[in-house]
Amino acid sequence: MAVITIAFVSRSVSELRLARADFQKTQTEYLLAGAHNVALLAIATSSRAPPYRWTVPSLGKAFDVAAEPERPKMALSNAPSLDDDTLDRLGVTDHDALRARLSSLPNVEGLPWAADADSSKNWKACAGALISFYGAASFAPALGYVEPDAGKDDSKWRAGEVWRISVTDEDGWRDERIVRFTGNGLNPAAVISRRLTRGWKDNLACETLLAAG
């Protein structure tokens, strides 16, 4: 009887821990989504040239936001031609293996996440700022982030533009989305693809990492 009781209690404790973990994750997703909503309005009404990087306060917490339009980025089909110096700066140790993985990524809207092509934390943090399925450039863009001046231009709401918006909380949880702006102020953007990850807090900005030495 004692053994059965112990087993029952252990199972109950495990279920409670799982329930708490699920609740915390749900709460985190809710907070990140709130920060995304704030960021969307800032991006859609800013008159400054992107890309943007700034801190968004939401529900008593601070969130790091990075946002870039996708079209100026390196086209996915050109990604295998990234130069060795850039790959070194992003911590990639096997250039040939990375290029092979990039070449094999499916060229499908909303996919893939080029950041998953290598395990380096620097590559994972910054690849999405350089490469895109929606990109039209032959070369990776030079990164120079500024803070958006929200509310300065709401005439177009960036209708039709595709952007990558990454929101990271203080614990390293990141809600990364590819969105298309609708031109509708009540519903500024539609989500094309989204993922939730946890890892590097991105304290080192990618433009600093990639700056010429």
Side-chain angles (χ1 to χ4, degrees), residues 124-166:
K124 287 183 174 298
C126 301
L130 305 177
I131 304 165
S132 174
F133 166 85
Y134 304 92
S138 299
F139 301 95
L143 298 179
Y145 290 92
V146 297
E147 184 171 345
D149 53 348
K152 298 296 184 179
D153 182 9
D154 60 359
S155 60
K156 296 182 180 178
W157 289 86
R158 301 193 182 278
E161 295 183 16
V162 178
W163 282 59
R164 168 186 172 264
I165 305 173
S166 176

Short mmCIF file of all heavy atoms in Angstrom, two decimals, residues 124-166:
data_model
loop_
_atom_site.label_atom_id
_atom_site.label_comp_id
_atom_site.label_asym_id
_atom_site.label_seq_id
_atom_site.Cartn_x
_atom_site.Cartn_y
_atom_site.Cartn_z
N LYS A 124 22.90 31.42 -35.52
CA LYS A 124 21.49 31.30 -35.20
C LYS A 124 20.87 32.67 -34.91
O LYS A 124 19.71 32.92 -35.24
CB LYS A 124 21.29 30.36 -34.01
CG LYS A 124 21.50 28.88 -34.35
CD LYS A 124 21.21 28.01 -33.15
CE LYS A 124 21.26 26.53 -33.51
NZ LYS A 124 20.23 26.17 -34.52
N ALA A 125 21.64 33.54 -34.26
CA ALA A 125 21.12 34.85 -33.89
C ALA A 125 21.04 35.80 -35.07
O ALA A 125 20.16 36.67 -35.11
CB ALA A 125 21.98 35.46 -32.79
N CYS A 126 21.93 35.66 -36.04
CA CYS A 126 22.08 36.69 -37.07
C CYS A 126 21.75 36.27 -38.50
O CYS A 126 21.55 37.14 -39.35
CB CYS A 126 23.50 37.23 -37.05
SG CYS A 126 23.99 37.95 -35.46
N ALA A 127 21.68 34.98 -38.79
CA ALA A 127 21.44 34.55 -40.17
C ALA A 127 20.15 35.10 -40.74
O ALA A 127 20.07 35.48 -41.91
CB ALA A 127 21.45 33.03 -40.26
N GLY A 128 19.11 35.17 -39.89
CA GLY A 128 17.81 35.67 -40.35
C GLY A 128 17.84 37.12 -40.75
O GLY A 128 16.96 37.58 -41.50
N ALA A 129 18.83 37.87 -40.29
CA ALA A 129 18.96 39.28 -40.66
C ALA A 129 19.64 39.44 -42.02
O ALA A 129 19.60 40.53 -42.61
CB ALA A 129 19.75 40.04 -39.60
N LEU A 130 20.23 38.37 -42.53
CA LEU A 130 21.02 38.44 -43.76
C LEU A 130 20.38 37.74 -44.95
O LEU A 130 20.53 38.17 -46.10
CB LEU A 130 22.41 37.83 -43.53
CG LEU A 130 23.23 38.41 -42.37
CD1 LEU A 130 24.54 37.62 -42.24
CD2 LEU A 130 23.50 39.89 -42.57
N ILE A 131 19.65 36.64 -44.67
CA ILE A 131 19.15 35.75 -45.73
C ILE A 131 17.64 35.61 -45.63
O ILE A 131 17.09 35.53 -44.54
CB ILE A 131 19.78 34.35 -45.57
CG1 ILE A 131 21.30 34.43 -45.59
CG2 ILE A 131 19.29 33.41 -46.66
CD1 ILE A 131 21.97 33.16 -45.09
N SER A 132 16.97 35.57 -46.79
CA SER A 132 15.52 35.39 -46.76
C SER A 132 15.00 34.77 -48.05
O SER A 132 15.52 35.05 -49.14
CB SER A 132 14.83 36.75 -46.55
OG SER A 132 13.42 36.62 -46.66
N PHE A 133 13.96 33.96 -47.92
CA PHE A 133 13.24 33.45 -49.08
C PHE A 133 12.69 34.61 -49.91
O PHE A 133 12.60 34.54 -51.12
CB PHE A 133 12.09 32.56 -48.61
CG PHE A 133 11.08 32.23 -49.67
CD1 PHE A 133 11.28 31.16 -50.53
CD2 PHE A 133 9.93 33.00 -49.81
CE1 PHE A 133 10.34 30.86 -51.53
CE2 PHE A 133 8.99 32.70 -50.80
CZ PHE A 133 9.20 31.63 -51.65
N TYR A 134 12.35 35.69 -49.23
CA TYR A 134 11.76 36.86 -49.88
C TYR A 134 12.82 37.87 -50.32
O TYR A 134 12.49 38.92 -50.87
CB TYR A 134 10.78 37.55 -48.93
CG TYR A 134 9.71 36.63 -48.42
CD1 TYR A 134 9.88 35.93 -47.22
CD2 TYR A 134 8.54 36.41 -49.13
CE1 TYR A 134 8.90 35.06 -46.75
CE2 TYR A 134 7.57 35.54 -48.67
CZ TYR A 134 7.76 34.88 -47.49
OH TYR A 134 6.80 34.00 -47.02
N GLY A 135 14.09 37.56 -50.07
CA GLY A 135 15.17 38.47 -50.43
C GLY A 135 15.38 38.54 -51.94
O GLY A 135 15.11 37.59 -52.66
N ALA A 136 15.89 39.68 -52.39
CA ALA A 136 16.12 39.88 -53.83
C ALA A 136 17.55 40.28 -54.13
O ALA A 136 17.88 40.55 -55.28
CB ALA A 136 15.17 40.95 -54.35
N ALA A 137 18.40 40.30 -53.11
CA ALA A 137 19.78 40.76 -53.29
C ALA A 137 20.75 39.61 -53.55
O ALA A 137 20.51 38.47 -53.16
CB ALA A 137 20.23 41.55 -52.06
N SER A 138 21.84 39.96 -54.21
CA SER A 138 22.90 38.97 -54.47
C SER A 138 23.87 38.88 -53.31
O SER A 138 24.60 37.89 -53.18
CB SER A 138 23.66 39.35 -55.74
OG SER A 138 22.80 39.38 -56.86
N PHE A 139 23.89 39.91 -52.47
CA PHE A 139 24.82 39.96 -51.35
C PHE A 139 24.06 40.24 -50.06
O PHE A 139 22.98 40.82 -50.08
CB PHE A 139 25.88 41.05 -51.58
CG PHE A 139 26.68 40.87 -52.83
CD1 PHE A 139 26.31 41.52 -54.01
CD2 PHE A 139 27.79 40.04 -52.85
CE1 PHE A 139 27.03 41.34 -55.17
CE2 PHE A 139 28.52 39.85 -54.01
CZ PHE A 139 28.15 40.51 -55.17
N ALA A 140 24.68 39.84 -48.96
CA ALA A 140 24.08 40.10 -47.65
C ALA A 140 24.10 41.60 -47.38
O ALA A 140 25.07 42.29 -47.72
CB ALA A 140 24.84 39.36 -46.56
N PRO A 141 23.05 42.15 -46.78
CA PRO A 141 23.00 43.60 -46.54
C PRO A 141 23.92 44.02 -45.41
O PRO A 141 24.23 43.25 -44.50
CB PRO A 141 21.53 43.82 -46.15
CG PRO A 141 21.13 42.52 -45.51
CD PRO A 141 21.85 41.46 -46.29
N ALA A 142 24.37 45.27 -45.48
CA ALA A 142 25.10 45.85 -44.35
C ALA A 142 24.06 46.22 -43.30
O ALA A 142 23.02 46.79 -43.62
CB ALA A 142 25.86 47.08 -44.81
N LEU A 143 24.34 45.87 -42.05
CA LEU A 143 23.37 46.10 -40.98
C LEU A 143 23.70 47.40 -40.24
O LEU A 143 24.83 47.60 -39.81
CB LEU A 143 23.37 44.93 -40.01
CG LEU A 143 22.97 43.57 -40.60
CD1 LEU A 143 23.04 42.50 -39.51
CD2 LEU A 143 21.58 43.63 -41.21
N GLY A 144 22.70 48.24 -40.11
CA GLY A 144 22.84 49.47 -39.35
C GLY A 144 21.50 49.81 -38.73
O GLY A 144 20.68 50.50 -39.33
N TYR A 145 21.27 49.28 -37.53
CA TYR A 145 19.95 49.41 -36.90
C TYR A 145 19.73 50.79 -36.29
O TYR A 145 20.66 51.42 -35.77
CB TYR A 145 19.80 48.35 -35.81
CG TYR A 145 19.68 46.94 -36.32
CD1 TYR A 145 20.81 46.14 -36.47
CD2 TYR A 145 18.45 46.40 -36.66
CE1 TYR A 145 20.70 44.83 -36.94
CE2 TYR A 145 18.33 45.10 -37.12
CZ TYR A 145 19.47 44.32 -37.26
OH TYR A 145 19.37 43.04 -37.73
N VAL A 146 18.48 51.25 -36.36
CA VAL A 146 18.07 52.49 -35.70
C VAL A 146 16.76 52.21 -34.97
O VAL A 146 16.10 51.19 -35.20
CB VAL A 146 17.86 53.64 -36.72
CG1 VAL A 146 19.16 53.97 -37.42
CG2 VAL A 146 16.76 53.28 -37.72
N GLU A 147 16.39 53.13 -34.09
CA GLU A 147 15.11 52.99 -33.39
C GLU A 147 14.00 53.63 -34.23
O GLU A 147 14.19 54.74 -34.75
CB GLU A 147 15.18 53.66 -32.02
CG GLU A 147 13.93 53.47 -31.18
CD GLU A 147 14.10 53.96 -29.76
OE1 GLU A 147 15.25 54.17 -29.34
OE2 GLU A 147 13.07 54.11 -29.06
N PRO A 148 12.86 52.98 -34.39
CA PRO A 148 11.77 53.57 -35.17
C PRO A 148 11.19 54.80 -34.47
O PRO A 148 11.19 54.87 -33.24
CB PRO A 148 10.75 52.45 -35.27
CG PRO A 148 11.00 51.62 -34.05
CD PRO A 148 12.49 51.67 -33.83
N ASP A 149 10.73 55.76 -35.26
CA ASP A 149 10.05 56.92 -34.69
C ASP A 149 8.55 56.73 -34.88
O ASP A 149 7.95 57.26 -35.82
CB ASP A 149 10.55 58.23 -35.31
CG ASP A 149 10.48 58.23 -36.83
OD1 ASP A 149 10.27 57.14 -37.42
OD2 ASP A 149 10.62 59.30 -37.44
N ALA A 150 7.96 55.96 -34.02
CA ALA A 150 6.56 55.56 -34.14
C ALA A 150 5.63 56.75 -34.24
O ALA A 150 5.82 57.77 -33.57
CB ALA A 150 6.17 54.70 -32.94
N GLY A 151 4.62 56.62 -35.10
CA GLY A 151 3.60 57.64 -35.23
C GLY A 151 3.91 58.77 -36.19
O GLY A 151 3.10 59.68 -36.38
N LYS A 152 5.06 58.71 -36.85
CA LYS A 152 5.46 59.79 -37.75
C LYS A 152 4.88 59.65 -39.16
O LYS A 152 4.81 60.62 -39.90
CB LYS A 152 6.99 59.86 -37.84
CG LYS A 152 7.68 60.17 -36.51
CD LYS A 152 7.30 61.54 -36.00
CE LYS A 152 8.07 61.87 -34.73
NZ LYS A 152 7.74 63.21 -34.21
N ASP A 153 4.48 58.44 -39.53
CA ASP A 153 3.96 58.24 -40.89
C ASP A 153 2.98 57.07 -40.89
O ASP A 153 3.39 55.92 -40.86
CB ASP A 153 5.11 57.98 -41.87
CG ASP A 153 4.62 57.81 -43.30
OD1 ASP A 153 3.42 58.06 -43.56
OD2 ASP A 153 5.42 57.42 -44.16
N ASP A 154 1.69 57.37 -40.92
CA ASP A 154 0.69 56.31 -40.95
C ASP A 154 -0.11 56.33 -42.25
O ASP A 154 -1.24 55.85 -42.32
CB ASP A 154 -0.25 56.40 -39.74
CG ASP A 154 -1.01 57.72 -39.70
OD1 ASP A 154 -0.78 58.56 -40.60
OD2 ASP A 154 -1.82 57.91 -38.79
N SER A 155 0.48 56.90 -43.31
CA SER A 155 -0.24 57.06 -44.57
C SER A 155 -0.34 55.76 -45.36
O SER A 155 -1.29 55.55 -46.10
CB SER A 155 0.43 58.13 -45.43
OG SER A 155 1.78 57.78 -45.71
N LYS A 156 0.65 54.89 -45.22
CA LYS A 156 0.67 53.67 -46.03
C LYS A 156 0.64 52.39 -45.20
O LYS A 156 0.25 51.34 -45.69
CB LYS A 156 1.92 53.67 -46.93
CG LYS A 156 1.94 54.79 -47.96
CD LYS A 156 3.17 54.71 -48.85
CE LYS A 156 3.18 55.83 -49.88
NZ LYS A 156 4.39 55.78 -50.73
N TRP A 157 1.11 52.46 -43.97
CA TRP A 157 1.15 51.29 -43.09
C TRP A 157 1.95 50.14 -43.70
O TRP A 157 1.73 48.98 -43.42
CB TRP A 157 -0.27 50.81 -42.75
CG TRP A 157 -1.00 51.73 -41.82
CD1 TRP A 157 -1.74 52.82 -42.18
CD2 TRP A 157 -1.06 51.67 -40.40
NE1 TRP A 157 -2.24 53.44 -41.08
CE2 TRP A 157 -1.87 52.76 -39.96
CE3 TRP A 157 -0.53 50.80 -39.45
CZ2 TRP A 157 -2.13 53.00 -38.62
CZ3 TRP A 157 -0.82 51.03 -38.10
CH2 TRP A 157 -1.60 52.11 -37.71
N ARG A 158 2.87 50.45 -44.64
CA ARG A 158 3.78 49.48 -45.27
C ARG A 158 3.02 48.34 -45.97
O ARG A 158 3.45 47.18 -45.97
CB ARG A 158 4.75 48.91 -44.23
CG ARG A 158 5.61 49.96 -43.56
CD ARG A 158 6.76 49.36 -42.79
NE ARG A 158 7.54 50.38 -42.11
CZ ARG A 158 8.49 51.12 -42.67
NH1 ARG A 158 8.77 50.94 -43.95
NH2 ARG A 158 9.14 52.01 -41.98
N ALA A 159 1.90 48.65 -46.54
CA ALA A 159 1.06 47.63 -47.18
C ALA A 159 1.84 46.78 -48.17
O ALA A 159 2.54 47.30 -49.04
CB ALA A 159 -0.11 48.30 -47.89
N GLY A 160 1.74 45.44 -48.00
CA GLY A 160 2.38 44.50 -48.89
C GLY A 160 3.80 44.13 -48.55
O GLY A 160 4.34 43.15 -49.09
N GLU A 161 4.44 44.88 -47.66
CA GLU A 161 5.83 44.59 -47.31
C GLU A 161 5.93 43.36 -46.41
O GLU A 161 5.10 43.16 -45.53
CB GLU A 161 6.48 45.79 -46.61
CG GLU A 161 6.61 47.02 -47.49
CD GLU A 161 7.33 48.15 -46.78
OE1 GLU A 161 7.98 47.90 -45.73
OE2 GLU A 161 7.24 49.30 -47.25
N VAL A 162 6.97 42.55 -46.62
CA VAL A 162 7.23 41.37 -45.79
C VAL A 162 8.42 41.69 -44.89
O VAL A 162 9.46 42.16 -45.35
CB VAL A 162 7.52 40.13 -46.64
CG1 VAL A 162 7.85 38.93 -45.74
CG2 VAL A 162 6.34 39.81 -47.54
N TRP A 163 8.26 41.42 -43.60
CA TRP A 163 9.29 41.74 -42.59
C TRP A 163 9.56 40.53 -41.70
O TRP A 163 8.69 39.67 -41.52
CB TRP A 163 8.83 42.89 -41.70
CG TRP A 163 8.95 44.25 -42.32
CD1 TRP A 163 8.34 44.68 -43.48
CD2 TRP A 163 9.68 45.36 -41.82
NE1 TRP A 163 8.68 45.99 -43.71
CE2 TRP A 163 9.49 46.43 -42.71
CE3 TRP A 163 10.49 45.54 -40.69
CZ2 TRP A 163 10.08 47.68 -42.51
CZ3 TRP A 163 11.07 46.79 -40.48
CH2 TRP A 163 10.87 47.84 -41.39
N ARG A 164 10.75 40.51 -41.15
CA ARG A 164 11.09 39.59 -40.05
C ARG A 164 11.13 40.41 -38.78
O ARG A 164 11.81 41.43 -38.70
CB ARG A 164 12.45 38.95 -40.29
CG ARG A 164 13.02 38.20 -39.07
CD ARG A 164 14.43 37.72 -39.37
NE ARG A 164 15.08 37.18 -38.19
CZ ARG A 164 15.91 37.87 -37.39
NH1 ARG A 164 16.17 39.13 -37.64
NH2 ARG A 164 16.49 37.30 -36.35
N ILE A 165 10.37 39.98 -37.77
CA ILE A 165 10.35 40.67 -36.49
C ILE A 165 10.68 39.66 -35.39
O ILE A 165 10.01 38.63 -35.26
CB ILE A 165 8.97 41.30 -36.22
CG1 ILE A 165 8.57 42.23 -37.38
CG2 ILE A 165 8.98 42.07 -34.91
CD1 ILE A 165 7.16 42.76 -37.27
N SER A 166 11.71 39.96 -34.63
CA SER A 166 12.17 39.07 -33.57
C SER A 166 12.06 39.77 -32.23
O SER A 166 12.63 40.85 -32.03
CB SER A 166 13.62 38.66 -33.85
OG SER A 166 14.14 37.87 -32.80
#
